[in-house]
Amino acid sequence: MPKKIFDILPPKREKPPISKKEIKITKGKPKPHFLKITFPKISFKKTFFFISILILFSAFIFSFKFSRAEIKIWPEIEEKSFVEIITVDTKAENLDLDKKIIPGKFFETEEIFSNFFSSSGKVLKKAEGTIRLFNEYTTNDEVWKEGTRFVSSDGKLFKSKDKIFVPGAKIKNGKIEASFVDVPVIAAEGGSQYNIPPSDFSVVAFKGSPRYFKYYGKSFEPMKGGGEFPVVTKEDLERAEKELINLANQKAKEILEKKIEEKFSFSEDAIEIFVLEKNCLAKEGDEKEKFNFQIRAKIKTIIFSREDLSNFAKSYLRSKISPEKEFYLPSLKIDLKGEVKNFELGKASFQARLSVKVYSKLDPLSIKKAIAGKSLEETKLFFLNQKEISKSKIEIYPFWVKKIPDDIKKIEIYYPLVD
């Protein structure tokens, strides 16, 4: 039997057994793998510093491109004053610069002025009262004359104001019973010393005779009304009227300013006061310490347009000031002083005093061209050398730029500035 021949094969390397824990089963698509790039690490402080430097440098560069300048200029000021006579005419319709006539119109209003005034007159009044006259002398009726004198127990003399009808005494039970009559009396002299209390009186004419003690008087109330009292005099009434007219003149300007429209003006030298009516309850001789006096007055003036006056002043000043000069309008002052007023003709002439601040004209464009691109110091020197300029203030934005922009559109000129 033939022998079987076997080929000799190299030994096989056995794979190590796989643990169940190491077996991972993935389902779906496999995850892609990317190339990982790494950069060198830079600190945050260095990054921040670098960015800050970059920003500052950019701002510095752009600041020159976008810089601007503001220049304020104060001119040399000269005060100018002029005096001219102008006429306000109620018949004129338009402003006449050549004839120096301003159109005007009448304005009038009525007001009542009143006040209390003190009486300056004095009157010495006599005290008055009543004495009851008793008759124990005769049963016959008697008539005594007016002015019969009675003297009080303290020596004050009074006189009867009228005739006295003295009734006769009566006899009762063989005895005489006194009759009496009330006699109005007035002190012999004026003065408060005669305001005496109730007193006993005797009849002066009967002193030293049997009648003296049989006729006597008594007052039961004080004597009154004696003393010095104020009275209204003619001069007081005239003074009151004059003072009220003066008050009307003092108040006229204030009253007119409140009633006249703002667009119109007037001069206090062209005001007239007319008394239309006067009224006073007191009259000369009245015993009053104070009295009230009243007047109704018309206040009349000629008014004119403020615009017309201003236009006249501006035209007049332009004719008097050099063409190279300009006047500062806010400084214009017009002072009117009355010369002549004639309300019958409807005219009033005034001395107009005009004062204004004057300065030289400057061309802002020429100044911009002259200083464009100059340094701050050069610009300051430029303005110092201009005799028409009093002072200047230069402001460049941003603040660290020390050079005027080259572009004149970025230069702003403020002129004139007047303190």
Side-chain angles (χ1 to χ4, degrees), residues 278-297:
K278 54 186 176 181
N279 184 28
C280 182
L281 296 177
K283 58 183 181 297
E284 183 181 354
D286 283 357
E287 293 178 16
K288 291 179 179 291
E289 185 177 355
K290 288 183 178 293
F291 63 95
N292 180 264
F293 201 100
Q294 183 182 89
I295 64 170
R296 183 168 64 90

Side-chain angles (χ1 to χ4, degrees), residues 24 26 56 77 88 150 152 164 244 264 333 342 364 392:
K24 294 182 181 179
T26 58
L56 289 173
I77 294 295
V88 179
F150 297 86
S152 68
I164 307 171
L244 287 179
F264 291 103
K333 292 181 181 179
N342 190 326
S392 62

Side-chain angles (χ1 to χ4, degrees), residues 53-66 398 400:
I53 292 297
L54 184 62
I55 292 172
L56 289 173
F57 180 76
S58 300
F60 183 77
I61 294 298
F62 280 103
S63 67
F64 285 94
K65 184 176 181 180
F66 296 102
W400 59 77

Side-chain angles (χ1 to χ4, degrees), residues 18-24:
I18 299 173
S19 169
K20 291 181 179 182
K21 294 180 179 181
E22 294 180 357
I23 299 174
K24 294 182 181 179

Side-chain angles (χ1 to χ4, degrees), residues 271-326:
I271 298 174
E272 285 195 359
I273 306 293
F274 303 91
V275 177
L276 304 176
E277 183 183 0
K278 54 186 176 181
N279 184 28
C280 182
L281 296 177
K283 58 183 181 297
E284 183 181 354
D286 283 357
E287 293 178 16
K288 291 179 179 291
E289 185 177 355
K290 288 183 178 293
F291 63 95
N292 180 264
F293 201 100
Q294 183 182 89
I295 64 170
R296 183 168 64 90
K298 178 167 68 175
I299 305 172
K300 190 173 184 180
T301 188
I302 297 178
I303 63 175
F304 49 88
S305 166
R306 293 179 184 272
E307 184 179 2
D308 285 343
L309 180 61
S310 178
N311 288 338
F312 167 80
K314 288 186 282 188
S315 298
Y316 180 83
L317 290 171
R318 287 193 182 97
S319 68
K320 296 293 182 179
I321 295 173
S322 168
E324 292 80 21
K325 298 285 186 177
E326 186 61 86

Side-chain angles (χ1 to χ4, degrees), residues 35 106 156 238 283 315 343 368:
L35 181 63
F106 283 116
K156 297 296 188 295
E238 292 173 349
K283 58 183 181 297
S315 298
F343 280 19
K368 289 180 181 182

Side-chain angles (χ1 to χ4, degrees), residues 305-370:
S305 166
R306 293 179 184 272
E307 184 179 2
D308 285 343
L309 180 61
S310 178
N311 288 338
F312 167 80
K314 288 186 282 188
S315 298
Y316 180 83
L317 290 171
R318 287 193 182 97
S319 68
K320 296 293 182 179
I321 295 173
S322 168
E324 292 80 21
K325 298 285 186 177
E326 186 61 86
F327 57 85
Y328 186 60
L329 190 57
S331 70
L332 176 61
K333 292 181 181 179
I334 307 172
D335 181 34
L336 298 180
K337 185 177 180 181
E339 286 283 317
V340 179
K341 62 179 178 181
N342 190 326
F343 280 19
E344 291 182 1
L345 296 177
K347 294 181 179 182
S349 296
F350 302 99
Q351 182 188 83
R353 183 176 294 275
L354 310 177
S355 61
V356 71
K357 293 180 178 180
V358 177
Y359 60 91
S360 296
K361 292 180 179 180
L362 290 181
D363 180 16
L365 181 59
S366 299
I367 293 176
K368 289 180 181 182
K369 291 179 179 179

Side-chain angles (χ1 to χ4, degrees), residues 7-261:
D7 292 328
I8 299 171
L9 297 174
K12 294 183 180 179
R13 184 178 295 178
E14 294 183 357
K15 295 181 180 179
I18 299 173
S19 169
K20 291 181 179 182
K21 294 180 179 181
E22 294 180 357
I23 299 174
K24 294 182 181 179
I25 301 173
T26 58
K27 294 181 179 181
K29 294 182 179 180
K31 292 183 178 180
H33 296 279
F34 296 98
L35 181 63
K36 188 175 182 180
I37 302 173
T38 59
F39 293 94
K41 292 183 177 180
I42 302 175
S43 68
F44 175 77
K45 290 183 178 180
K46 290 182 178 180
T47 304
F48 180 77
F49 177 76
F50 177 76
I51 294 173
S52 299
I53 292 297
L54 184 62
I55 292 172
L56 289 173
F57 180 76
S58 300
F60 183 77
I61 294 298
F62 280 103
S63 67
F64 285 94
K65 184 176 181 180
F66 296 102
S67 65
R68 61 188 180 88
E70 290 184 0
I71 300 172
K72 299 175 181 178
I73 303 173
W74 284 260
E76 286 286 352
I77 294 295
E78 182 182 1
E79 294 279 352
K80 290 284 187 179
S81 295
F82 303 93
V83 176
E84 189 58 77
I85 302 297
I86 62 173
T87 300
V88 179
D89 192 345
T90 57
K91 296 177 182 178
E93 295 182 357
N94 298 303
L95 178 65
D96 191 330
L97 298 174
D98 295 330
K99 295 181 179 180
K100 302 177 180 63
I101 294 176
I102 297 175
K105 62 180 180 178
F106 283 116
F107 181 90
E108 59 184 48
T109 183
E110 290 185 11
E111 291 288 329
I112 292 176
F113 301 90
S114 67
N115 206 348
F116 282 92
F117 300 89
S118 298
S119 302
S120 63
K122 300 293 180 183
V123 61
L124 193 61
K125 294 192 69 177
K126 298 176 181 181
E128 297 183 25
T130 301
I131 296 174
R132 179 165 288 182
L133 173 63
F134 293 90
N135 170 20
E136 290 182 359
Y137 183 76
T138 180
T139 57
N140 297 323
D141 294 340
E142 296 180 342
V143 179
W144 293 5
K145 67 178 182 178
E146 177 187 340
T148 298
R149 296 178 296 166
F150 297 86
V151 62
S152 68
S153 55
D154 64 349
K156 297 296 188 295
L157 189 65
F158 289 82
K159 297 179 180 181
S160 64
K161 297 175 72 174
D162 304 297
K163 289 181 179 180
I164 307 171
F165 295 91
V166 183
K170 298 188 181 299
I171 302 295
K172 284 188 178 181
N173 301 323
K175 292 183 179 181
I176 192 165
E177 186 178 273
S179 63
F180 65 87
V181 63
D182 288 334
V183 181
V185 296
I186 186 169
E189 297 177 349
S192 59
Q193 66 271 24
Y194 284 87
N195 297 329
I196 61 175
S199 304
D200 294 327
F201 293 86
S202 57
V203 181
V204 176
F206 295 155
K207 187 175 182 181
S209 71
R211 287 177 174 244
Y212 186 73
F213 296 103
K214 296 298 182 178
Y215 289 96
Y216 56 90
K218 287 181 179 290
S219 62
F220 298 96
E221 291 184 0
M223 299 295 176
K224 298 177 181 178
E228 189 177 68
F229 294 89
V231 292
V232 179
T233 65
K234 179 183 178 182
E235 291 74 17
D236 290 335
L237 297 174
E238 292 173 349
R239 173 175 54 87
E241 181 180 356
K242 185 177 179 180
E243 287 188 15
L244 287 179
I245 293 174
N246 288 337
L247 178 64
N249 279 293
Q250 293 170 12
K251 294 286 186 180
K253 181 182 178 181
E254 180 183 345
I255 292 169
L256 291 172
E257 285 176 340
K258 290 180 179 179
K259 294 192 173 185
I260 293 174
E261 294 180 64

